[in-house]
């Protein structure tokens, strides 16, 4: 396809989302390389992200650009290479990309890329999940409110043994141990997170291990998983729930905090998979409930995905503001990749294409009903 025709096709597609090529509004895109149009039409979302990383196009407000194109389902209007698409779908159905032998790939390729990066981007506690902005004014407040909300929903009490699946840099473990007197056993597939978390929680009743969830055997009073279920994969959702069921005491509670999608899928966006979260995918409500059926009773289902938009924008602002502190360890292409990641995700939550859920499960149902008392710390 010659460039003029490819450009005309792209202009027509983008106009349906009120996006102009070389326009002057914040969400309009400026093209620097005329080969962009053919590359995008043949490569879809992967080409869109890679061409941005390569400096082929720019946009003053990527979050607004993605909000507009995702609201109008533009990602479903661009035809990509059919053979390539079918191969991706076939691999997702045949290969278990999240099997036990591959469990540590996400840790090595994402969470281990530098604690210095995450320390300048995240809040002071290093929470890498959605904050709770109901009454919060700052990122630190929103993340502390989220941690306390989780503790309240689980009815946490002093001396309780709590399993934290995907414990990150130990933010929940430290908070729950200090504020509620809980005994925390955290697991992660990231070596850097494990080392950092153990040092952070030194002197507390906390133990952090490098371990896949499928290796768990012990029983706990409470189990929590905050922003880890996105790495489990649809072929393993049932296994995950069975492991949690086996590890939870009969009168215990399990809280699942996860990003989710509106539809059931067996793969993720190609660009996200290649550059940000390898072997990840977002569960749907149907997939979660099917995996839990016969094992758990759902006691509470709380959605606050609108706050992930605000959280991501705060991370973006921190990243840009502090880039000079870490840029000697990363190159310009990484900078553009990370900006694209944060702002495209903000746009996806703003357009309601992505969700954030906190779901509380019990084994047999709580007599008299489930209740918790929310106290804002903001």
């Amino acid at each position: 396809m010659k460039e003029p025709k490819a450009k005309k096709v792209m202009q027509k597609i983008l106009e349906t989302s009120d996006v102009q090529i070389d326009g002057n509004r914040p969400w309009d895109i400026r093209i620097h390389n005329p080969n962009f149009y053919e590359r995008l039409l043949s490569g879809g979302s992967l080409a869109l992200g890679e061409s941005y990383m390569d400096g082929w196009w720019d946009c003053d407000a990527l979050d607004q650009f993605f909000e507009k194109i995702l609201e109008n389902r533009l990602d479903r209007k661009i035809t990509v290479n059919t053979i390539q698409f079918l191969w991706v779908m076939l691999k997702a159905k045949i290969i278990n990309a999240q099997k036990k032998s591959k469990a540590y790939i996400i840790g090595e390729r994402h969470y281990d890329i530098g604690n210095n990066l995450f320390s300048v981007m995240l809040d002071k506690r290093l929470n890498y999940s959605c904050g709770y902005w109901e009454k919060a004014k700052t990122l630190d407040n929103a993340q502390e409110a989220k941690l306390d909300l989780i503790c309240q929903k689980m009815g946490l009490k002093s001396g309780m043994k709590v399993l934290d699946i995907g414990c990150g840099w130990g933010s929940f473990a430290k908070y729950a141990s200090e504020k509620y007197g809980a005994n925390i056993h955290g697991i992660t597939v990231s070596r850097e997170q494990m080392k950092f978390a153990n040092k952070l929680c030194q002197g507390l009743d906390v133990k952090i291990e490098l371990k896949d969830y499928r290796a768990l055997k012990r029983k706990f009073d409470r189990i929590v998983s905050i922003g880890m279920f996105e790495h489990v994969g649809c072929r393993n959702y049932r296994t995950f729930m069975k492991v949690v069921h086996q590890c939870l005491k009969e009168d215990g509670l399990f809280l699942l905090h996860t990003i989710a999608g509106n539809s059931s899928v067996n793969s993720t966006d190609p660009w996200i998979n290649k550059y940000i979260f390898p072997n990840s995918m977002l569960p749907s409500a149907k997939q979660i409930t099917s995996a839990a059926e016969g094992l758990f009773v759902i006691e509470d289902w709380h959605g606050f995905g609108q706050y992930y938009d605000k959280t991501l924008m705060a991370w973006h602002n921190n990243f840009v503001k502090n880039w000079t502190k870490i840029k000697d360890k990363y190159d310009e292409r990484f900078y553009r990749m990370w900006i694209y990641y944060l702002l495209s995700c903000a746009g996806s939550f703003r357009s309601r294409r992505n969700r954030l859920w906190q779901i509380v499960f019990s084994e047999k149902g709580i007599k008299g009903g489930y209740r918790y008392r929310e106290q804002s710390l903001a």
Side-chain angles (χ1 to χ4, degrees), residues 327-344:
K327 68 177 185 178
D328 59 322
K329 296 180 172 62
Y330 306 94
D331 60 18
E332 181 65 19
R333 196 166 191 264
F334 178 90
Y335 177 82
R336 291 180 67 87
M337 177 189 78
W338 209 254
I339 290 290
Y340 188 89
Y341 151 52
L342 295 173
L343 295 184
S344 63

Side-chain angles (χ1 to χ4, degrees), residues 203 231 271 326:
H231 304 306
W271 186 85
I326 61 171

Side-chain angles (χ1 to χ4, degrees), residues 120-131:
V120 301
M121 184 181 84
L122 305 178
D123 65 300
K124 65 182 180 181
R125 294 179 180 274
L126 294 190
N127 285 276
Y128 197 19
S129 55
C130 183

Side-chain angles (χ1 to χ4, degrees), residues 134-176:
E134 187 72 14
K135 298 179 181 178
K137 302 298 183 184
T138 68
L139 179 62
D140 286 341
N141 291 157
Q143 294 293 12
E144 187 164 324
K146 184 266 301 292
L147 294 175
D148 205 68
L149 179 67
I150 290 171
C151 292
Q152 292 170 35
K153 285 182 176 181
M154 293 197 299
L156 217 54
K157 295 179 181 178
S158 180
M160 280 187 172
K161 296 186 184 301
V162 181
L163 171 64
D164 183 356
I165 303 177
C167 62
W169 289 275
S171 57
F172 173 80
K174 188 174 191 295
Y175 186 88

Side-chain angles (χ1 to χ4, degrees), residues 103-318:
Y104 297 90
I105 291 176
I106 182 61
E108 295 166 358
R109 289 179 52 188
H110 187 87
Y111 299 105
D112 289 347
I113 61 176
N115 287 340
N116 56 332
L117 165 64
F118 295 106
S119 66
V120 301
M121 184 181 84
L122 305 178
D123 65 300
K124 65 182 180 181
R125 294 179 180 274
L126 294 190
N127 285 276
Y128 197 19
S129 55
C130 183
Y132 188 58
W133 295 83
E134 187 72 14
K135 298 179 181 178
K137 302 298 183 184
T138 68
L139 179 62
D140 286 341
N141 291 157
Q143 294 293 12
E144 187 164 324
K146 184 266 301 292
L147 294 175
D148 205 68
L149 179 67
I150 290 171
C151 292
Q152 292 170 35
K153 285 182 176 181
M154 293 197 299
L156 217 54
K157 295 179 181 178
S158 180
M160 280 187 172
K161 296 186 184 301
V162 181
L163 171 64
D164 183 356
I165 303 177
C167 62
W169 289 275
S171 57
F172 173 80
K174 188 174 191 295
Y175 186 88
S177 179
E178 286 182 337
K179 301 291 184 179
Y180 286 83
N183 175 315
I184 311 294
H185 181 190
I187 65 166
T188 175
V189 292
S190 164
R191 293 184 184 278
E192 291 301 315
Q193 286 185 337
M194 177 194 68
K195 289 187 289 185
F196 185 97
N198 275 318
K199 186 176 181 180
L200 178 72
C201 298
Q202 196 169 8
L204 298 173
D205 199 1
V206 174
K207 179 181 180 181
I208 308 295
E209 287 187 296
L210 187 71
K211 180 179 285 188
D212 178 67
Y213 68 91
R214 283 158 287 205
L216 292 165
K217 303 294 182 185
R218 289 174 48 200
K219 290 280 188 180
F220 297 88
D221 299 298
R222 299 288 188 269
I223 298 178
V224 63
S225 181
I226 307 170
M228 175 272 178
F229 197 64
E230 300 90 330
H231 304 306
V232 170
C234 61
R235 292 169 67 94
N236 307 299
Y237 292 154
R238 184 66 174 179
T239 298
F240 179 90
M241 290 295 183
K242 284 182 176 179
V243 170
V244 173
H245 184 262
Q246 291 167 2
C247 291
L248 188 64
K249 292 182 180 179
E250 190 172 315
D251 60 347
L253 291 175
F254 164 48
L255 185 143
L256 178 67
H257 174 117
T258 184
I259 301 173
N262 294 319
S263 303
S264 297
V265 298
N266 56 20
S267 62
T268 194
D269 174 80
W271 186 85
I272 289 289
N273 182 68
K274 183 175 180 179
Y275 291 99
I276 307 299
F277 295 116
N279 303 329
S280 65
M281 66 182 67
L282 301 184
S284 67
K286 179 181 178 180
Q287 288 171 322
I288 293 173
T289 56
S290 295
E293 187 171 342
L295 299 173
F296 294 111
V297 172
I298 296 175
E299 298 289 353
D300 188 67
W301 194 304
H302 183 185
F304 50 92
Q306 71 275 17
Y307 295 146
Y308 226 140
D309 175 14
K310 199 166 184 176
T311 301
L312 283 155
M313 294 306 294
W315 290 347
H316 168 260
N317 292 337
N318 286 343

